Amino acid sequence: MERRVFLQGVTLVGASAFVGCAPKEQASRTFKLGGKWESTLCQGCTSWCAVEAYVFDGRVVKVRGNAQSKGNHGYICPRPHLALQQQYDPDRVKVPLRRSNAQKERGVDPKFVPISWDEALEIIADKILELRAKGTPERFALFRGRYSHLNEILYKALPQIIGSPNSISHSSICAEAEKFASYYTEGDWDYSDFDLEHTRYILSWGVDPLASNRQVPHFINAWGRVRDRAKVTVIDPRLSATAAKADRWLSVIPGEDGALVSAIAHVILSEGLWYKPFVGDFVDGLSRFKEGERVDAALFEEKESYGVVAWWNEELLDKTPQWAFERCGIDAQSITDVAREFAHAAPRAISWVATGVSMQIRGAYNAMGAHALNGLVGSIDHEGGVVQTMKVPLNPTPDYKPYMDETAKAGVKHPIIDGRGSLALPALKKKSGGGVVTNHAAEGILKSDPYPIEVAIGYWNNYAFSCSGAERWEAALSKLPFFVHITTNIAETTQFADIVLPAAHSMFEKYAFVANKQNLHSYVHIQKPLVAPLFEAKADETEIPYLLAQKLAQKGFDALWRYYNEGFGGPFKDEKAFALAALRHYTQPLYSPKGAEAGDAIESFEALLKRGVWNAKRHPYGARLGHFKTATKKFEFYSETLRSVLEEHAIKHGVGVDGVMEATDYLARGERAFIPHYEPPLRFGDEKAYPLLFCEHRSRLNREARSANTPWYHAFKDVDPGDEAHEDVVKINPQTAKLYGIANMQTVRIESVHGSLTCKAKLFEGVRPGVLIKAYGQGHWAYGRHACADFGNAIARGGSNNHLYESHYERLSGSTVRHGGFMRVKITQVEV
């Protein structure tokens, strides 16, 4: 085909997606002119933005935002573009595989051999039925990775009907401590949304919304308008993309964010700058918040908040900017200026909390404090402020309890293997043990605590790479007698699998939906197969469990099969018909009068599939005032909600709340346990032996570390400030580099008390002296030809941060620790 004719049908940017990466038998087909834009969604982060893909001659060749979405309003970030190369990755798993080498160890060839789907399902079904026959169904575990809102078909129903309590989500290796902050102040266990259109100030706590975290397309689109009317201060030891464009960058000492939080709150209260229509005021209008002086709570009349006087008395009265400077490294005048600017913008001001301030060993109270600043300036549920908008009419998952026999009912009563709810791992998602402690499941497997796991299935996850102390997962997976991995690529975790099942790509090859929020709109975005699945790939959350249920029924256990067919309106022609019916079941209210009342009026399921988007009406300001889901129905500076849950947990274990604090690595005692407060950071390593602090950040190209096998990921890695294309670098301030004789782009070894990694050193002034900062996502020793240096010999490309890290937790939330410089390190030159 002539080049000019080719360009009439597609753009050059898509060419490599189907010419360079498409299977040979597809690439050789003659192109036909004319294509079509089809709706789907991106799962490269948890914004789950609506996108459209251009399908040309049976291939996806280009992506763009879906203009129907009021969340990302027709814009996308770089991540969806990388999905093109993921889709046509020549290293994708093509057919089911069976391990033929019993030895499970890193670097040992599993000797996978191709098998049929029927043979794979036969083996898996037999293993599950063996557990049930022995009366030990609890020894089955399901490990969830990136999921859609069809996930309960697999994640909840399958283990429960089999008889296992072990549904282990990946969520606590991502952001549970962040959600802890909003729940124990305003009663919502969720990420926050922000009214960027009307804000006058953004105080960003380690957030880089122009590049990573959530809402990236929305923030990129809104950034120009934000800068026209608002000030932006970024608190981060790294000069991020957002910091580079902000009014002020505060290069904080990692882990000392809590000192800065308390000092800002001290200034706001001591200078009388709090937002009185929300917080309240002294009955006579005379402020009594004086440095070092306690206040009589009876003199303060509260409005929409609770406990500000207790917060002052127990924490803030002596937390001056000078006190904070001695800990966080930010000068007192800058702290004072930021506090005044932030308060003067009230109530159109945002204190934006994310993983950087929260995923620290003592990060729960840091995050609570940073979020409580929103309460001080009255921005909660206010124009230009912070809102919670998740209201979507959906049908619930059909009840699976009637399909559980006595074996299943007995099995699910066993404790879960991740240790949630234990004294030292409270995981306080609304209650003791209500959350998940993903990374601790490795200990449960290794120690057979509280019992052995004999059969496990994991999907769209890679714990042997993505969890801190990753080698623990290598050992745990080696110990598993039988493990099934549902995956697109042979990842690190896949190397330990007994059966590998090829997963359909989440963006282009399967039915699914997600519900989320951005831009003050809740929404549902629809995913659908735009092209035929490559090779023998099948959808993880619908097609595969349906086929497994069918196989179990053929062997005499038909409960799961009956549930899928009766619960979702079967019988079905095949697994694809089941997947479509499941999507129809959950989303039915969206194309009913109920959906039209709450948001967009959509006339039919077919119209929803075509459009790909349902938007809720814009969240009304002030709707939650007086109705917060807290114990007091108010925004809580003193958290009665947290007090109740901590006391419940303490009683369960026969200790007091102080005993819980001690067991969870916190120093707070007494009333301080119920308020945001400063805690000095806990770090691993002697300062003399390991004089530097190590931090990490997320690349704007990370599709949750699944994009590392795409050539574009490496070619454009320098879009992250300080990074280099085709290299894995640790960024180091030139002053620090000079102290250790490190030259630019020199190969170095970084060592902690836990482990080490090797990469290149990049001299970059956008790093605080004494700190090393490296992007997360590289250092793969599996996944494919681009992700690692030598796939066949398990040689990593660069270094994985997780091999430096101790497997530690922010225990109150169950969150894995990744930030705050909790690992001290040293750097040395490596002779090449």
Side-chain angles (χ1 to χ4, degrees), residues 611-668:
R611 193 170 189 260
V613 173
W614 177 88
N615 301 289
K617 294 177 180 177
R618 187 176 174 87
H619 177 76
Y621 302 121
R624 294 184 302 130
L625 299 186
H627 308 286
F628 289 108
K629 301 173 187 176
T630 59
T632 62
K633 307 299 181 185
K634 294 185 175 186
F635 185 92
E636 295 184 343
F637 297 112
Y638 179 101
S639 182
E640 294 286 1
T641 309
L642 179 57
R643 179 179 190 136
S644 175
V645 175
L646 279 173
E647 288 176 348
E648 170 207 347
H649 185 72
I651 291 169
K652 183 167 85 172
H653 293 284
V655 299
V657 171
D658 285 356
V660 175
M661 291 291 100
E662 182 176 5
T664 55
D665 297 320
Y666 282 100
L667 303 179

Coordinates of all heavy atoms in Angstrom, one line a residue, residues 611-668:
R611 N -22.3 4.5 23.4 CA -21.8 5.8 24.0 C -20.6 5.6 24.9 O -19.7 6.4 24.9 CB -22.9 6.4 24.7 CG -22.8 7.8 25.1 CD -24.1 8.4 25.7 NE -24.1 9.8 25.9 CZ -23.9 10.4 27.1 NH1 -23.7 9.6 28.1 NH2 -23.9 11.7 27.2
G612 N -20.6 4.5 25.7 CA -19.5 4.2 26.5 C -19.4 4.9 27.8 O -18.5 4.7 28.6
V613 N -20.4 5.8 28.1 CA -20.3 6.7 29.2 C -21.7 7.0 29.8 O -22.7 7.2 29.0 CB -19.7 8.1 28.8 CG1 -19.8 9.1 30.0 CG2 -18.3 7.9 28.3
W614 N -21.8 7.0 31.1 CA -23.0 7.5 31.8 C -22.4 8.5 32.9 O -21.6 8.1 33.7 CB -23.8 6.5 32.5 CG -25.0 7.0 33.3 CD1 -26.2 7.3 32.8 CD2 -25.0 7.4 34.7 NE1 -27.0 7.8 33.8 CE2 -26.3 7.9 35.0 CE3 -24.0 7.4 35.7 CZ2 -26.6 8.3 36.3 CZ3 -24.3 7.8 36.9 CH2 -25.6 8.3 37.2
N615 N -22.9 9.7 32.8 CA -22.5 10.8 33.8 C -23.6 11.1 34.8 O -24.8 11.3 34.4 CB -22.2 12.1 33.1 CG -21.1 11.9 32.0 OD1 -19.9 11.7 32.4 ND2 -21.5 12.0 30.8
A616 N -23.3 11.1 36.1 CA -24.2 11.6 37.1 C -24.3 13.1 37.0 O -23.4 13.8 36.4 CB -23.7 11.2 38.5
K617 N -25.3 13.7 37.5 CA -25.4 15.1 37.6 C -24.3 15.7 38.5 O -23.8 15.0 39.4 CB -26.8 15.5 38.2 CG -28.0 15.2 37.3 CD -29.3 15.5 38.0 CE -30.5 15.1 37.0 NZ -31.8 15.4 37.7
R618 N -23.9 16.9 38.2 CA -22.9 17.5 39.0 C -23.2 17.6 40.5 O -24.3 17.9 40.9 CB -22.6 18.9 38.5 CG -21.4 19.6 39.1 CD -21.2 21.0 38.4 NE -20.1 21.7 39.1 CZ -18.8 21.7 38.8 NH1 -18.4 20.8 37.8 NH2 -17.9 22.4 39.4
H619 N -22.2 17.2 41.3 CA -22.4 17.2 42.7 C -22.8 18.6 43.3 O -22.1 19.6 43.0 CB -21.2 16.7 43.4 CG -21.2 16.7 44.9 ND1 -21.9 15.8 45.6 CD2 -20.7 17.6 45.8 CE1 -21.8 16.0 46.9 NE2 -21.1 17.1 47.1
P620 N -23.9 18.7 44.0 CA -24.3 20.0 44.6 C -23.5 20.3 45.8 O -23.3 19.5 46.7 CB -25.8 19.8 44.9 CG -25.9 18.3 45.2 CD -24.9 17.6 44.3
Y621 N -23.0 21.5 45.9 CA -22.2 22.0 47.0 C -23.0 21.9 48.3 O -24.2 22.2 48.3 CB -21.7 23.4 46.8 CG -20.9 23.6 45.6 CD1 -21.3 24.5 44.6 CD2 -19.7 22.9 45.4 CE1 -20.5 24.8 43.5 CE2 -18.9 23.1 44.2 CZ -19.3 24.0 43.3 OH -18.6 24.2 42.2
G622 N -22.4 21.5 49.4 CA -23.0 21.5 50.7 C -24.0 20.4 51.0 O -24.6 20.4 52.0
A623 N -24.1 19.4 50.1 CA -25.1 18.4 50.2 C -24.9 17.5 51.5 O -25.8 16.9 52.0 CB -25.2 17.5 49.0
R624 N -23.6 17.4 51.9 CA -23.3 16.5 53.0 C -23.2 17.3 54.3 O -23.0 16.6 55.4 CB -21.9 15.8 52.7 CG -22.0 14.9 51.5 CD -20.8 14.1 51.3 NE -19.6 15.0 51.1 CZ -18.5 14.9 51.8 NH1 -18.3 14.0 52.7 NH2 -17.5 15.7 51.5
L625 N -23.3 18.6 54.3 CA -23.2 19.3 55.6 C -24.3 18.9 56.5 O -25.5 18.9 56.1 CB -23.2 20.8 55.3 CG -22.1 21.4 54.4 CD1 -22.2 22.9 54.4 CD2 -20.7 21.0 54.9
G626 N -23.9 18.6 57.7 CA -24.9 18.1 58.7 C -25.2 16.6 58.5 O -26.0 16.0 59.3
H627 N -24.6 16.0 57.5 CA -24.9 14.6 57.2 C -23.6 13.8 57.0 O -23.7 12.7 56.3 CB -25.8 14.4 56.0 CG -27.1 15.3 56.1 ND1 -28.1 15.0 56.9 CD2 -27.4 16.4 55.4 CE1 -29.1 15.9 56.7 NE2 -28.6 16.8 55.9
F628 N -22.5 14.2 57.5 CA -21.3 13.4 57.4 C -21.5 12.1 58.0 O -22.2 11.9 59.0 CB -20.1 14.2 58.1 CG -19.7 15.4 57.3 CD1 -19.9 16.7 57.8 CD2 -19.0 15.3 56.1 CE1 -19.5 17.8 57.2 CE2 -18.6 16.4 55.4 CZ -18.8 17.7 56.0
K629 N -20.8 11.1 57.5 CA -21.0 9.7 57.9 C -20.0 9.4 59.1 O -19.4 8.3 59.1 CB -20.8 8.7 56.8 CG -21.7 8.9 55.6 CD -21.3 8.0 54.4 CE -22.2 8.3 53.2 NZ -21.7 7.5 52.0
T630 N -19.9 10.3 60.0 CA -19.1 10.2 61.2 C -19.9 9.9 62.4 O -21.2 10.1 62.3 CB -18.2 11.4 61.4 OG1 -19.1 12.6 61.5 CG2 -17.3 11.7 60.2
A631 N -19.3 9.6 63.5 CA -20.1 9.4 64.7 C -20.8 10.6 65.2 O -21.9 10.5 65.8 CB -19.1 8.9 65.8
T632 N -20.3 11.8 64.9 CA -20.9 13.1 65.3 C -21.8 13.7 64.2 O -22.4 14.8 64.4 CB -19.9 14.1 65.7 OG1 -19.0 14.4 64.6 CG2 -19.0 13.5 66.9
K633 N -21.7 13.1 63.0 CA -22.4 13.7 61.8 C -21.7 15.0 61.4 O -22.3 15.8 60.5 CB -23.9 14.0 62.0 CG -24.6 12.8 62.5 CD -24.6 11.6 61.5 CE -25.4 10.4 62.0 NZ -25.2 9.2 61.1
K634 N -20.5 15.3 61.9 CA -19.8 16.5 61.6 C -18.4 16.1 61.0 O -18.0 15.0 61.2 CB -19.6 17.4 62.8 CG -20.9 18.0 63.3 CD -20.7 19.0 64.4 CE -22.0 19.6 64.9 NZ -21.7 20.7 65.9
F635 N -17.7 17.1 60.5 CA -16.3 16.9 60.1 C -15.5 16.8 61.4 O -15.6 17.8 62.2 CB -15.8 18.0 59.2 CG -14.4 17.8 58.7 CD1 -14.2 17.2 57.5 CD2 -13.3 18.2 59.5 CE1 -12.9 17.0 57.1 CE2 -12.0 18.0 59.0 CZ -11.8 17.4 57.8
E636 N -14.7 15.8 61.6 CA -14.1 15.5 62.9 C -12.6 15.8 63.0 O -11.8 15.1 62.4 CB -14.4 14.1 63.4 CG -15.9 13.8 63.6 CD -16.1 12.4 64.1 OE1 -15.2 11.5 64.0 OE2 -17.2 12.1 64.6
F637 N -12.3 16.9 63.6 CA -10.8 17.1 64.0 C -10.4 16.2 65.1 O -9.3 15.7 65.1 CB -10.6 18.6 64.4 CG -10.9 19.6 63.3 CD1 -12.0 20.4 63.4 CD2 -10.1 19.7 62.2 CE1 -12.3 21.4 62.4 CE2 -10.4 20.6 61.2 CZ -11.5 21.5 61.3
Y638 N -11.3 16.0 66.1 CA -11.1 15.0 67.1 C -12.1 13.9 66.6 O -13.3 14.0 66.6 CB -11.6 15.5 68.5 CG -11.5 14.5 69.6 CD1 -10.4 14.5 70.5 CD2 -12.5 13.5 69.7 CE1 -10.3 13.5 71.5 CE2 -12.4 12.5 70.7 CZ -11.3 12.5 71.6 OH -11.2 11.6 72.6
S639 N -11.5 12.7 66.3 CA -12.3 11.7 65.6 C -12.9 10.7 66.6 O -12.3 9.8 67.0 CB -11.4 10.9 64.6 OG -12.2 10.0 63.9
E640 N -14.2 11.0 66.9 CA -15.0 10.0 67.7 C -15.2 8.7 66.9 O -15.3 7.7 67.5 CB -16.3 10.6 68.0 CG -16.3 11.8 68.9 CD -16.0 11.5 70.4 OE1 -15.8 10.3 70.7 OE2 -15.9 12.4 71.2
T641 N -15.2 8.9 65.6 CA -15.3 7.7 64.7 C -14.1 6.8 64.9 O -14.2 5.6 65.1 CB -15.4 8.1 63.2 OG1 -16.5 9.1 63.1 CG2 -15.7 6.9 62.3
L642 N -12.9 7.4 64.9 CA -11.7 6.6 65.1 C -11.6 6.1 66.5 O -11.2 4.9 66.7 CB -10.4 7.5 64.8 CG -9.1 6.8 65.0 CD1 -8.9 5.5 64.1 CD2 -7.9 7.8 64.6
R643 N -12.0 6.9 67.4 CA -12.0 6.4 68.8 C -12.8 5.1 69.0 O -12.4 4.2 69.6 CB -12.5 7.5 69.8 CG -12.6 7.1 71.2 CD -13.1 8.2 72.1 NE -12.8 7.9 73.5 CZ -12.4 8.7 74.4 NH1 -12.1 10.0 74.1 NH2 -12.2 8.3 75.7
S644 N -14.0 5.1 68.4 CA -14.9 4.0 68.6 C -14.3 2.7 68.0 O -14.3 1.6 68.6 CB -16.2 4.3 67.9 OG -17.1 3.2 67.8
V645 N -13.7 2.9 66.8 CA -13.1 1.7 66.1 C -11.8 1.2 66.8 O -11.6 0.0 67.0 CB -12.8 2.0 64.6 CG1 -12.1 0.9 63.9 CG2 -14.1 2.3 63.9
L646 N -11.0 2.2 67.3 CA -9.8 1.8 68.0 C -10.2 1.1 69.3 O -9.5 0.1 69.7 CB -8.9 3.0 68.3 CG -8.0 3.5 67.2 CD1 -7.4 4.8 67.6 CD2 -7.0 2.4 66.9
E647 N -11.2 1.5 70.0 CA -11.6 0.9 71.2 C -12.2 -0.5 71.0 O -11.9 -1.4 71.7 CB -12.7 1.8 72.0 CG -12.0 3.0 72.6 CD -13.0 4.0 73.2 OE1 -14.3 3.8 73.0 OE2 -12.6 4.9 73.9
E648 N -12.9 -0.6 69.9 CA -13.4 -2.0 69.5 C -12.3 -2.9 69.3 O -12.3 -4.1 69.7 CB -14.2 -1.8 68.2 CG -14.6 -3.1 67.5 CD -14.8 -3.0 66.0 OE1 -14.9 -1.9 65.5 OE2 -14.8 -4.1 65.4
H649 N -11.2 -2.4 68.5 CA -10.1 -3.3 68.3 C -9.3 -3.6 69.5 O -8.9 -4.8 69.7 CB -9.1 -2.6 67.3 CG -8.0 -3.4 66.8 ND1 -8.1 -4.4 66.0 CD2 -6.6 -3.3 67.1 CE1 -6.9 -5.0 65.7 NE2 -6.0 -4.3 66.5
A650 N -9.2 -2.7 70.4 CA -8.5 -2.9 71.7 C -9.2 -3.9 72.5 O -8.6 -4.9 73.1 CB -8.3 -1.6 72.4
I651 N -10.5 -3.8 72.6 CA -11.3 -4.8 73.4 C -11.2 -6.2 72.9 O -11.0 -7.2 73.6 CB -12.8 -4.3 73.5 CG1 -12.9 -3.0 74.3 CG2 -13.7 -5.4 74.1 CD1 -14.3 -2.4 74.2
K652 N -11.2 -6.3 71.5 CA -11.0 -7.6 70.9 C -9.8 -8.3 71.3 O -9.7 -9.5 71.4 CB -11.1 -7.4 69.4 CG -11.1 -8.7 68.6 CD -11.4 -8.4 67.1 CE -10.3 -8.0 66.3 NZ -10.5 -8.0 64.8
H653 N -8.7 -7.5 71.6 CA -7.4 -8.1 71.9 C -7.1 -8.0 73.3 O -5.9 -8.3 73.7 CB -6.3 -7.5 71.0 CG -6.5 -7.9 69.5 ND1 -6.2 -9.1 69.0 CD2 -7.0 -7.2 68.5 CE1 -6.4 -9.1 67.7 NE2 -6.9 -8.0 67.4
G654 N -8.0 -7.5 74.2 CA -7.7 -7.5 75.6 C -6.7 -6.5 76.0 O -6.0 -6.7 77.0
V655 N -6.6 -5.4 75.3 CA -5.6 -4.3 75.6 C -6.4 -3.0 75.6 O -7.5 -2.9 75.2 CB -4.4 -4.2 74.7 CG1 -3.7 -5.5 74.7 CG2 -4.9 -3.9 73.2
G656 N -5.7 -1.9 76.0 CA -6.2 -0.6 75.9 C -5.8 0.0 74.5 O -5.0 -0.6 73.8
V657 N -6.3 1.2 74.2 CA -6.0 1.9 73.0 C -4.5 2.2 73.0 O -3.8 2.1 71.9 CB -6.8 3.2 72.8 CG1 -6.2 4.0 71.6 CG2 -8.2 2.8 72.6
D658 N -3.9 2.5 74.1 CA -2.4 2.7 74.2 C -1.7 1.4 73.7 O -0.6 1.5 73.1 CB -2.0 3.1 75.6 CG -2.3 4.5 75.9 OD1 -2.9 5.2 75.0 OD2 -2.1 4.9 77.1
G659 N -2.2 0.3 74.1 CA -1.6 -1.0 73.7 C -1.7 -1.2 72.2 O -0.7 -1.7 71.5
V660 N -2.7 -0.7 71.6 CA -2.9 -0.8 70.1 C -1.8 0.2 69.5 O -1.2 -0.2 68.5 CB -4.3 -0.4 69.6 CG1 -4.4 -0.3 68.1 CG2 -5.3 -1.4 70.2
M661 N -1.7 1.4 70.0 CA -0.7 2.3 69.5 C 0.7 1.7 69.5 O 1.5 1.8 68.6 CB -0.8 3.6 70.3 CG -2.0 4.4 70.1 SD -2.2 5.2 68.4 CE -3.3 4.0 67.7
E662 N 1.0 1.1 70.6 CA 2.4 0.5 70.8 C 2.6 -0.6 69.7 O 3.6 -0.7 69.1 CB 2.6 0.0 72.2 CG 4.0 -0.6 72.4 CD 4.2 -1.0 73.8 OE1 3.2 -1.0 74.6 OE2 5.3 -1.5 74.2
A663 N 1.6 -1.4 69.6 CA 1.7 -2.6 68.6 C 1.8 -2.1 67.2 O 2.3 -2.9 66.3 CB 0.5 -3.5 68.8
T664 N 1.3 -0.9 66.9 CA 1.2 -0.5 65.5 C 2.3 0.6 65.2 O 2.2 1.3 64.2 CB -0.2 0.1 65.2 OG1 -0.5 1.1 66.1 CG2 -1.2 -1.0 65.2
D665 N 3.3 0.7 66.0 CA 4.5 1.5 65.7 C 4.2 3.0 66.0 O 5.0 3.9 65.6 CB 5.0 1.4 64.3 CG 5.5 0.0 64.0 OD1 6.1 -0.6 64.9 OD2 5.2 -0.5 62.9
Y666 N 3.1 3.4 66.7 CA 2.9 4.8 67.0 C 3.3 5.1 68.4 O 3.2 4.3 69.3 CB 1.4 5.1 66.7 CG 1.0 5.3 65.3 CD1 0.5 4.2 64.5 CD2 1.3 6.4 64.6 CE1 0.2 4.4 63.2 CE2 1.1 6.6 63.2 CZ 0.5 5.6 62.5 OH 0.2 5.7 61.2
L667 N 3.7 6.4 68.6 CA 4.1 6.9 69.9 C 2.9 7.5 70.6 O 3.1 7.8 71.8 CB 5.2 7.9 69.7 CG 6.5 7.4 69.0 CD1 7.5 8.5 68.8 CD2 7.1 6.2 69.7
A668 N 1.9 7.9 70.0 CA 0.7 8.6 70.6 C 0.2 7.7 71.7 O 0.0 6.5 71.6 CB -0.3 8.9 69.6

